[in-house]
Amino acid sequence: MNIIEERFIKLTEHIYILTLPTNIGILALPADDGTTSIYVIDSGNIDSHGQMIHEAVSSRFQNAEIKAIMNTHYHADHSGGNSYLEDATGCAVWASKGEAAIIENPKIGNSLFWGGTPIHEIQSRYLLAKPSKVTRVFRGEERFTITEDGLEIGVEVISLPGHDFEQIGFALKDTDGKTVFFMGDAISGRNVIKKYWIQYLLNETETKLTLDKISRIKADFYVPGHGDYVTDIEGLCELNMIAILETEEMIVEELKKPKSWEELLKSVADRSGITLGVTQYVLIGGTLHSYLTGLYEEGRITYKIEENRMTWQKVARKQQEL
């Protein structure tokens, strides 16, 4: 068995995972004329991942034709292979309205990470994908059917905001009656959470609501963007929620005394055993801003601007109760 074969995991009659650094969903529908229609969920980080996807499906399936990439969100590790696959195969690209805007103009997302025009170290392949053209835009949750030569696959587009603006997931119901739910980065695999306890998120409040939503969605297989798939989602949702709540408590504890954002970032990184390079500084720093917003809106912390300096501090319990 070659390395490409080892990376394929078959879940249902026609649905697979290709395990690159990002889990790639593969829907493969064979036709009577000897061709196989391929639908790809997310495309990896860079051109070489797009090339690996192309080569993998070409070697695994007879006369494979990639019809579309279904992007969960714009981040480079999920859309970085789009450009290569578009050029190589002429495939379509599908995404939500909000994510489509940045897939087509990825410098917007790169500037969002930095909070302005980013330094060149942030304009890397890990944070800045090549632009690609989105040909089908989802404007909300919807259901549709992919039909190829008599085979019908039900697709449900599910809104999963929090990690990003308009991240979506795809629940695919195969011809054997089994459903596979591709969740993007709305949730992380157990092995990933244990390694990276603080996960990037854009909106902490929406992330918690999305985790609750995922816990109530029925499927036979649940596939996170990173980490191992599971057949029971409750425990994984709980672990992801615990990581968020423990991070909240760590921040609130650190803010018993006033701290600026950067002082708090250092404290959180030190306590978590994280050595910040520039990429981690940007991603964890942005995540920390999102936690501060969530905790502030809940009335658990507050801020002051004095002598041109913004500091954050825990709100006393009596003040929270007012």
Side-chain angles (χ1 to χ4, degrees):
M1 181 181 290
N2 62 37
I3 189 168
I4 293 297
E5 285 294 313
E6 291 176 351
R7 290 181 180 273
F8 264 102
I9 300 173
K10 184 173 183 177
L11 297 180
T12 65
E13 184 68 22
H14 302 103
I15 302 171
Y16 304 76
I17 306 170
L18 179 61
T19 57
L20 300 181
T22 300
N23 288 325
I24 309 299
I26 304 290
L27 171 64
L29 300 175
D32 290 338
D33 64 2
T35 61
T36 306
S37 295
I38 304 293
Y39 294 81
V40 178
I41 299 171
D42 288 332
S43 65
N45 210 133
I46 48 179
D47 281 351
S48 62
H49 289 163
Q51 184 177 4
M52 288 181 70
I53 292 167
H54 192 199
E55 292 175 354
V57 298
S58 296
S59 65
R60 175 84 185 214
F61 305 106
Q62 184 178 11
N63 298 317
E65 297 179 2
I66 298 178
K67 296 292 188 71
I69 303 165
M70 302 159 65
N71 283 131
T72 59
H73 60 298
Y74 83 84
H75 289 163
D77 56 335
H78 290 258
S79 67
N82 284 17
S83 179
Y84 174 89
L85 289 172
E86 277 186 315
D87 292 343
T89 72
C91 67
V93 175
W94 303 349
S96 68
K97 182 180 178 181
E99 301 300 309
I102 307 181
I103 289 171
E104 293 187 340
N105 302 279
K107 287 185 178 180
I108 296 172
N110 202 232
S111 297
L112 174 66
F113 286 134
W114 184 254
T117 301
I119 58 176
H120 72 270
E121 287 90 346
I122 304 305
Q123 300 177 50
S124 68
R125 64 183 188 177
Y126 300 106
L127 294 178
L128 180 62
K130 291 182 179 179
S132 55
K133 177 65 178 176
V134 177
T135 53
R136 179 172 183 174
V137 174
F138 302 113
R139 300 181 183 277
E141 296 191 329
E142 63 176 90
R143 296 173 185 263
F144 63 95
T145 301
I146 294 174
T147 304
E148 297 284 353
D149 203 22
L151 296 174
E152 293 188 353
I153 306 297
V155 181
E156 183 177 0
V157 179
I158 301 173
S159 177
L160 302 174
H163 176 75
D164 201 48
F165 291 108
E166 291 186 18
Q167 179 177 239
I168 53 177
F170 298 98
L172 277 59
K173 187 172 183 179
D174 205 344
T175 56
D176 58 10
K178 294 181 179 179
T179 297
V180 182
F181 183 20
F182 292 93
M183 304 176 290
D185 285 348
I187 192 168
S188 292
R190 186 175 298 273
N191 54 326
V192 176
I193 275 285
K194 287 184 176 180
K195 185 175 181 180
Y196 304 106
W197 193 245
I198 300 176
Q199 301 281 295
Y200 174 82
L201 53 85
L202 182 67
N203 187 314
E204 189 218 1
T205 301
E206 286 190 340
T207 298
K208 291 189 289 188
L209 292 172
T210 287
L211 284 172
D212 179 66
K213 180 177 182 176
I214 288 173
S215 72
R216 293 179 279 107
I217 292 174
K218 302 299 182 184
D220 297 282
F221 301 95
Y222 301 84
V223 184
H226 305 278
D228 299 331
Y229 76 90
V230 295
T231 56
D232 183 355
I233 197 61
E234 185 176 350
L236 190 57
C237 283
E238 183 178 357
L239 180 62
N240 278 255
M241 187 68 80
I242 288 171
I244 291 172
L245 296 178
E246 286 194 0
T247 302
E248 282 185 356
E249 293 307 314
M250 176 171 56
I251 291 169
V252 171
E253 184 178 341
E254 285 293 331
L255 292 180
K256 288 179 179 178
K257 294 183 178 180
K259 284 186 171 67
S260 68
W261 166 79
E262 193 157 28
E263 289 169 337
L264 180 61
L265 175 58
K266 174 175 169 50
S267 297
V268 168
D270 288 347
R271 285 185 57 164
S272 302
I274 299 170
T275 300
L276 297 174
V278 66
T279 299
Q280 293 79 12
Y281 182 91
V282 169
L283 293 180
I284 295 177
T287 298
L288 183 58
H289 271 129
S290 299
Y291 273 99
L292 289 173
T293 297
L295 291 167
Y296 173 73
E297 296 298 338
E298 290 177 8
R300 298 181 64 189
I301 62 174
T302 190
Y303 69 86
K304 289 182 180 179
I305 299 178
E306 295 179 333
E307 298 180 353
N308 294 330
R309 182 170 178 264
M310 185 182 219
T311 58
W312 296 86
Q313 186 169 14
K314 177 182 178 181
V315 173
R317 185 177 297 276
K318 288 183 179 180
Q319 290 177 276
Q320 292 181 42
E321 292 172 353
L322 292 178

mmCIF file of all heavy atoms in Angstrom, residues 269-292:
data_model
loop_
_atom_site.group_PDB
_atom_site.id
_atom_site.type_symbol
_atom_site.label_atom_id
_atom_site.label_comp_id
_atom_site.label_asym_id
_atom_site.label_seq_id
_atom_site.Cartn_x
_atom_site.Cartn_y
_atom_site.Cartn_z
ATOM 1 N N ALA A 269 0.127 33.020 27.679
ATOM 2 C CA ALA A 269 1.101 32.171 26.989
ATOM 3 C C ALA A 269 2.036 31.499 27.984
ATOM 4 O O ALA A 269 2.322 30.296 27.866
ATOM 5 C CB ALA A 269 1.892 33.003 25.982
ATOM 6 N N ASP A 270 2.506 32.234 28.975
ATOM 7 C CA ASP A 270 3.401 31.665 29.981
ATOM 8 C C ASP A 270 2.710 30.532 30.744
ATOM 9 O O ASP A 270 3.287 29.456 30.941
ATOM 10 C CB ASP A 270 3.863 32.750 30.957
ATOM 11 C CG ASP A 270 4.853 33.731 30.337
ATOM 12 O OD1 ASP A 270 5.366 33.440 29.238
ATOM 13 O OD2 ASP A 270 5.102 34.791 30.959
ATOM 14 N N ARG A 271 1.482 30.770 31.160
ATOM 15 C CA ARG A 271 0.754 29.750 31.932
ATOM 16 C C ARG A 271 0.440 28.516 31.092
ATOM 17 O O ARG A 271 0.328 27.404 31.625
ATOM 18 C CB ARG A 271 -0.544 30.342 32.486
ATOM 19 C CG ARG A 271 -0.328 31.263 33.664
ATOM 20 C CD ARG A 271 -1.627 31.744 34.259
ATOM 21 N NE ARG A 271 -2.516 30.671 34.692
ATOM 22 C CZ ARG A 271 -3.557 30.840 35.499
ATOM 23 N NH1 ARG A 271 -3.832 32.064 35.953
ATOM 24 N NH2 ARG A 271 -4.327 29.843 35.839
ATOM 25 N N SER A 272 0.308 28.715 29.789
ATOM 26 C CA SER A 272 -0.034 27.604 28.901
ATOM 27 C C SER A 272 1.195 26.925 28.313
ATOM 28 O O SER A 272 1.057 25.971 27.537
ATOM 29 C CB SER A 272 -0.929 28.113 27.764
ATOM 30 O OG SER A 272 -2.105 28.724 28.272
ATOM 31 N N GLY A 273 2.374 27.419 28.656
ATOM 32 C CA GLY A 273 3.604 26.813 28.144
ATOM 33 C C GLY A 273 3.807 27.049 26.667
ATOM 34 O O GLY A 273 4.404 26.228 25.965
ATOM 35 N N ILE A 274 3.335 28.188 26.156
ATOM 36 C CA ILE A 274 3.425 28.497 24.726
ATOM 37 C C ILE A 274 4.554 29.506 24.509
ATOM 38 O O ILE A 274 4.622 30.537 25.180
ATOM 39 C CB ILE A 274 2.104 29.099 24.214
ATOM 40 C CG1 ILE A 274 0.955 28.107 24.395
ATOM 41 C CG2 ILE A 274 2.232 29.505 22.750
ATOM 42 C CD1 ILE A 274 -0.408 28.720 24.135
ATOM 43 N N THR A 275 5.453 29.193 23.564
ATOM 44 C CA THR A 275 6.465 30.136 23.143
ATOM 45 C C THR A 275 5.959 30.809 21.876
ATOM 46 O O THR A 275 5.755 30.151 20.850
ATOM 47 C CB THR A 275 7.807 29.438 22.868
ATOM 48 O OG1 THR A 275 8.259 28.797 24.074
ATOM 49 C CG2 THR A 275 8.858 30.434 22.408
ATOM 50 N N LEU A 276 5.722 32.099 21.931
ATOM 51 C CA LEU A 276 5.088 32.805 20.836
ATOM 52 C C LEU A 276 6.083 33.185 19.744
ATOM 53 O O LEU A 276 7.001 33.972 19.977
ATOM 54 C CB LEU A 276 4.397 34.073 21.351
ATOM 55 C CG LEU A 276 3.243 33.877 22.336
ATOM 56 C CD1 LEU A 276 2.778 35.240 22.859
ATOM 57 C CD2 LEU A 276 2.090 33.148 21.666
ATOM 58 N N GLY A 277 5.911 32.614 18.550
ATOM 59 C CA GLY A 277 6.515 33.155 17.352
ATOM 60 C C GLY A 277 5.547 34.170 16.775
ATOM 61 O O GLY A 277 4.468 34.408 17.327
ATOM 62 N N VAL A 278 5.889 34.772 15.649
ATOM 63 C CA VAL A 278 5.044 35.831 15.127
ATOM 64 C C VAL A 278 3.666 35.311 14.726
ATOM 65 O O VAL A 278 2.647 35.974 14.959
ATOM 66 C CB VAL A 278 5.737 36.560 13.945
ATOM 67 C CG1 VAL A 278 5.916 35.648 12.750
ATOM 68 C CG2 VAL A 278 4.959 37.821 13.572
ATOM 69 N N THR A 279 3.594 34.100 14.164
ATOM 70 C CA THR A 279 2.297 33.553 13.767
ATOM 71 C C THR A 279 1.426 33.285 14.985
ATOM 72 O O THR A 279 0.238 33.639 15.017
ATOM 73 C CB THR A 279 2.471 32.262 12.947
ATOM 74 O OG1 THR A 279 3.211 32.556 11.752
ATOM 75 C CG2 THR A 279 1.124 31.673 12.560
ATOM 76 N N GLN A 280 2.019 32.664 16.017
ATOM 77 C CA GLN A 280 1.262 32.386 17.238
ATOM 78 C C GLN A 280 0.865 33.680 17.938
ATOM 79 O O GLN A 280 -0.227 33.779 18.516
ATOM 80 C CB GLN A 280 2.087 31.506 18.190
ATOM 81 C CG GLN A 280 2.338 30.097 17.695
ATOM 82 C CD GLN A 280 3.454 30.026 16.679
ATOM 83 O OE1 GLN A 280 4.202 30.991 16.500
ATOM 84 N NE2 GLN A 280 3.575 28.888 16.011
ATOM 85 N N TYR A 281 1.755 34.664 17.873
ATOM 86 C CA TYR A 281 1.453 35.963 18.484
ATOM 87 C C TYR A 281 0.192 36.553 17.869
ATOM 88 O O TYR A 281 -0.690 37.061 18.573
ATOM 89 C CB TYR A 281 2.638 36.905 18.290
ATOM 90 C CG TYR A 281 2.478 38.273 18.915
ATOM 91 C CD1 TYR A 281 2.900 38.509 20.209
ATOM 92 C CD2 TYR A 281 1.900 39.318 18.195
ATOM 93 C CE1 TYR A 281 2.754 39.774 20.793
ATOM 94 C CE2 TYR A 281 1.745 40.569 18.766
ATOM 95 C CZ TYR A 281 2.176 40.794 20.062
ATOM 96 O OH TYR A 281 2.023 42.027 20.629
ATOM 97 N N VAL A 282 0.090 36.452 16.556
ATOM 98 C CA VAL A 282 -1.067 37.008 15.854
ATOM 99 C C VAL A 282 -2.325 36.185 16.118
ATOM 100 O O VAL A 282 -3.390 36.730 16.444
ATOM 101 C CB VAL A 282 -0.780 37.077 14.338
ATOM 102 C CG1 VAL A 282 -2.050 37.385 13.556
ATOM 103 C CG2 VAL A 282 0.278 38.136 14.058
ATOM 104 N N LEU A 283 -2.228 34.861 15.986
ATOM 105 C CA LEU A 283 -3.420 34.019 16.108
ATOM 106 C C LEU A 283 -3.926 33.948 17.551
ATOM 107 O O LEU A 283 -5.131 34.097 17.802
ATOM 108 C CB LEU A 283 -3.123 32.615 15.590
ATOM 109 C CG LEU A 283 -2.849 32.512 14.080
ATOM 110 C CD1 LEU A 283 -2.568 31.070 13.701
ATOM 111 C CD2 LEU A 283 -4.010 33.067 13.262
ATOM 112 N N ILE A 284 -3.038 33.722 18.499
ATOM 113 C CA ILE A 284 -3.473 33.658 19.894
ATOM 114 C C ILE A 284 -3.850 35.042 20.393
ATOM 115 O O ILE A 284 -4.802 35.208 21.167
ATOM 116 C CB ILE A 284 -2.383 33.012 20.774
ATOM 117 C CG1 ILE A 284 -2.180 31.554 20.353
ATOM 118 C CG2 ILE A 284 -2.770 33.074 22.261
ATOM 119 C CD1 ILE A 284 -1.090 30.824 21.105
ATOM 120 N N GLY A 285 -3.135 36.059 19.909
ATOM 121 C CA GLY A 285 -3.490 37.418 20.277
ATOM 122 C C GLY A 285 -4.883 37.786 19.788
ATOM 123 O O GLY A 285 -5.676 38.392 20.525
ATOM 124 N N GLY A 286 -5.203 37.432 18.555
ATOM 125 C CA GLY A 286 -6.549 37.694 18.040
ATOM 126 C C GLY A 286 -7.603 36.928 18.806
ATOM 127 O O GLY A 286 -8.690 37.447 19.098
ATOM 128 N N THR A 287 -7.287 35.681 19.132
ATOM 129 C CA THR A 287 -8.212 34.865 19.925
ATOM 130 C C THR A 287 -8.446 35.494 21.291
ATOM 131 O O THR A 287 -9.578 35.515 21.799
ATOM 132 C CB THR A 287 -7.640 33.440 20.087
ATOM 133 O OG1 THR A 287 -7.527 32.851 18.796
ATOM 134 C CG2 THR A 287 -8.528 32.582 20.962
ATOM 135 N N LEU A 288 -7.388 36.013 21.894
ATOM 136 C CA LEU A 288 -7.520 36.664 23.197
ATOM 137 C C LEU A 288 -8.445 37.877 23.115
ATOM 138 O O LEU A 288 -9.280 38.099 24.002
ATOM 139 C CB LEU A 288 -6.135 37.078 23.706
ATOM 140 C CG LEU A 288 -6.069 37.706 25.094
ATOM 141 C CD1 LEU A 288 -6.652 36.764 26.144
ATOM 142 C CD2 LEU A 288 -4.631 38.071 25.440
ATOM 143 N N HIS A 289 -8.331 38.651 22.030
ATOM 144 C CA HIS A 289 -9.261 39.769 21.836
ATOM 145 C C HIS A 289 -10.705 39.268 21.823
ATOM 146 O O HIS A 289 -11.606 39.904 22.389
ATOM 147 C CB HIS A 289 -8.958 40.483 20.511
ATOM 148 C CG HIS A 289 -7.952 41.577 20.624
ATOM 149 N ND1 HIS A 289 -6.849 41.666 19.801
ATOM 150 C CD2 HIS A 289 -7.871 42.641 21.464
ATOM 151 C CE1 HIS A 289 -6.140 42.731 20.123
ATOM 152 N NE2 HIS A 289 -6.739 43.341 21.126
ATOM 153 N N SER A 290 -10.925 38.127 21.172
ATOM 154 C CA SER A 290 -12.286 37.582 21.087
ATOM 155 C C SER A 290 -12.791 37.149 22.458
ATOM 156 O O SER A 290 -13.972 37.352 22.783
ATOM 157 C CB SER A 290 -12.299 36.400 20.114
ATOM 158 O OG SER A 290 -11.909 36.815 18.817
ATOM 159 N N TYR A 291 -11.924 36.550 23.266
ATOM 160 C CA TYR A 291 -12.309 36.197 24.636
ATOM 161 C C TYR A 291 -12.629 37.447 25.456
ATOM 162 O O TYR A 291 -13.605 37.463 26.227
ATOM 163 C CB TYR A 291 -11.183 35.419 25.322
ATOM 164 C CG TYR A 291 -11.218 33.928 25.099
ATOM 165 C CD1 TYR A 291 -10.405 33.333 24.148
ATOM 166 C CD2 TYR A 291 -12.051 33.103 25.846
ATOM 167 C CE1 TYR A 291 -10.418 31.963 23.941
ATOM 168 C CE2 TYR A 291 -12.081 31.741 25.659
ATOM 169 C CZ TYR A 291 -11.261 31.168 24.703
ATOM 170 O OH TYR A 291 -11.295 29.811 24.504
ATOM 171 N N LEU A 292 -11.820 38.484 25.303
ATOM 172 C CA LEU A 292 -12.072 39.715 26.052
ATOM 173 C C LEU A 292 -13.436 40.290 25.696
ATOM 174 O O LEU A 292 -14.185 40.739 26.577
ATOM 175 C CB LEU A 292 -10.969 40.736 25.767
ATOM 176 C CG LEU A 292 -9.596 40.422 26.361
ATOM 177 C CD1 LEU A 292 -8.558 41.423 25.857
ATOM 178 C CD2 LEU A 292 -9.631 40.420 27.888
#
